[in-house]
Amino acid sequence: MRTVNIGGKDIGLKATPLALLFYKQAFGTDLVGDLVKMQELKKDLSKFDSVLFLQVTWAMAKAYAGLKEKFPDFENWLAELESFDLSDQDVLLAIMEEAEKGFFRRGAGRTKPTN
């Protein structure tokens, strides 16, 4: 869980299974699958998809808000943002780190198989 500032607005992010569900329901594709596609950025920055990046951010923000709070759909959420500075590496990195921490834990929480 972390907070980033986008367009002068503090946005809480939480990379949880709930974010995966919200993403699939809203966009019809798998969040983790789309994140894996974004790995191509390491080779070719021209493959950056700013809308996809915002979709991932929206799903994690909605998960942060949880089920108790009414949360805007993607289009209305975007309309609430004054701007989004794509050159702000700190914000981009924070969003990706939250996604990696939540969805790619590399062994955290795993149980050992029993024979």
Side-chain angles (χ1 to χ4, degrees):
M1 201 168 25
R2 78 175 57 206
T3 302
V4 295
N5 189 288
I6 299 175
K9 184 175 181 178
D10 286 336
I11 298 173
L13 303 173
K14 195 171 183 182
T16 66
L18 195 54
L20 299 174
L21 175 66
F22 291 150
Y23 190 90
K24 180 76 165 193
Q25 288 174 335
F27 308 114
T29 60
D30 183 70
L31 188 151
V32 173
D34 287 347
L35 282 175
V36 170
K37 290 177 195 171
M38 289 178 72
Q39 292 299 314
E40 291 295 313
L41 291 173
K42 292 178 181 176
K43 298 176 189 172
D44 184 1
L45 285 177
S46 71
K47 301 214 185 257
F48 182 76
D49 184 337
S50 56
V51 173
L52 177 66
F53 194 80
L54 287 165
Q55 289 173 338
V56 170
T57 305
W58 172 85
M60 292 191 299
K62 185 170 179 171
Y64 181 88
L67 296 173
K68 296 176 184 173
E69 184 178 320
K70 182 155 174 55
F71 198 83
D73 64 14
F74 181 62
E75 291 83 6
N76 286 305
W77 181 77
L78 286 177
E80 293 175 359
L81 298 176
E82 291 287 322
S83 64
F84 185 54
D85 183 1
L86 293 171
S87 69
D88 188 340
Q89 295 295 316
D90 292 336
V91 170
L92 298 178
L93 185 59
I95 293 167
M96 289 307 295
E97 284 176 352
E98 177 62 23
E100 287 179 13
K101 184 182 109 192
F103 304 128
F104 303 98
R105 292 182 174 217
R106 295 192 180 124
R110 284 189 186 170
T111 57
K112 293 183 181 179
T114 57
N115 295 357

